[in-house]
Amino acid sequence: MKVTFKGKEVKLIGIPPKVGDSMPNFTVLNKDKHKVTKDNLLGKVSLISVVPDINTPVCSIQTKTFNKKMDQFPNVNFLTISTNTIQDQQNWCAAEDVKNMQLLSDENLSFGKATGLLIPDSGILARSVWILDPNGKIAYREIVDEITHEPNYDAALNELKKLM
């Protein structure tokens, strides 16, 4: 799998899991500094939006786009994960008036290492979208090949509709 940043190839720390695999275990932190793990997501369909840095335009657009769609899917866990600190994420939420989307910090790199999405040279995660079934199995995966591009929102949301 080839991932680029501004046209230059970057190396991921590992090989990301595929559709049909179980999402590996991970631990990220919510705004209250409570641990959130894969087990916390079980029982509901989950959409995990992974962004490299919430304070960049494309990451901001991606997070706001999914935030706007959440109301259509009341029984889905909607999460955004980045390596930003909790404070960075909360500042962004306040500035952008995002209240419903759950931003989770992977500042300890647990998610990035577990999924192979960590780019070790820069300490950020590869832009991606994951949909998990209620058992934690990966039903959809898009790892965006160029980090500065947005994901395919329609494809992810169509897959989400199939699971509802």
Side-chain angles (χ1 to χ4, degrees), residues 10-16 109 111-120:
V10 294
K11 297 281 186 224
L12 303 181
I13 200 168
I15 299 171
L109 308 179
F111 181 84
K113 289 176 180 175
T115 59
L117 293 171
L118 178 65
I119 301 168

Side-chain angles (χ1 to χ4, degrees), residues 19 22 34 37 46 62 99 110 114 128 137 155 159:
V19 170
S22 284
H34 294 135
T37 67
S46 299
Q62 179 175 334
K99 294 181 174 78
S110 170
S128 52
K137 190 171 279 200
E159 189 61 37

Side-chain angles (χ1 to χ4, degrees), residues 38-106:
K38 179 186 90 169
D39 289 347
N40 296 121
L41 305 179
L42 299 179
K44 288 173 80 172
V45 172
S46 299
L47 184 144
I48 302 172
S49 173
V50 179
V51 298
D53 182 348
I54 196 66
N55 294 310
T56 59
V58 177
C59 296
S60 184
I61 291 167
Q62 179 175 334
T63 303
K64 288 190 283 188
T65 298
F66 282 125
N67 185 61
K68 287 177 190 168
K69 302 294 183 186
M70 287 178 56
D71 291 344
Q72 298 172 29
F73 303 96
N75 296 318
V76 173
N77 293 313
F78 272 89
L79 319 167
T80 293
I81 297 177
S82 75
T83 56
N84 296 91
T85 65
I86 293 167
Q87 189 60 53
D88 274 350
Q89 292 178 343
Q90 290 311 298
N91 291 345
W92 179 87
C93 285
E96 298 294 338
D97 198 33
V98 170
K99 294 181 174 78
N100 299 325
M101 187 68 140
Q102 188 174 182
L103 267 69
L104 300 170
S105 175
D106 190 33

Side-chain angles (χ1 to χ4, degrees), residues 145-160:
D145 58 356
E146 168 56 54
I147 289 176
T148 61
H149 293 167
E150 292 177 61
N152 184 337
Y153 304 111
D154 290 339
L157 294 170
N158 286 337
E159 189 61 37
L160 202 55

Side-chain angles (χ1 to χ4, degrees), residues 124-158:
I124 61 173
L125 305 174
R127 183 180 312 283
S128 52
V129 178
W130 304 79
I131 297 176
L132 311 181
D133 73 11
N135 299 313
K137 190 171 279 200
I138 300 166
Y140 175 86
R141 169 188 103 161
E142 178 189 8
I143 299 172
V144 181
D145 58 356
E146 168 56 54
I147 289 176
T148 61
H149 293 167
E150 292 177 61
N152 184 337
Y153 304 111
D154 290 339
L157 294 170
N158 286 337

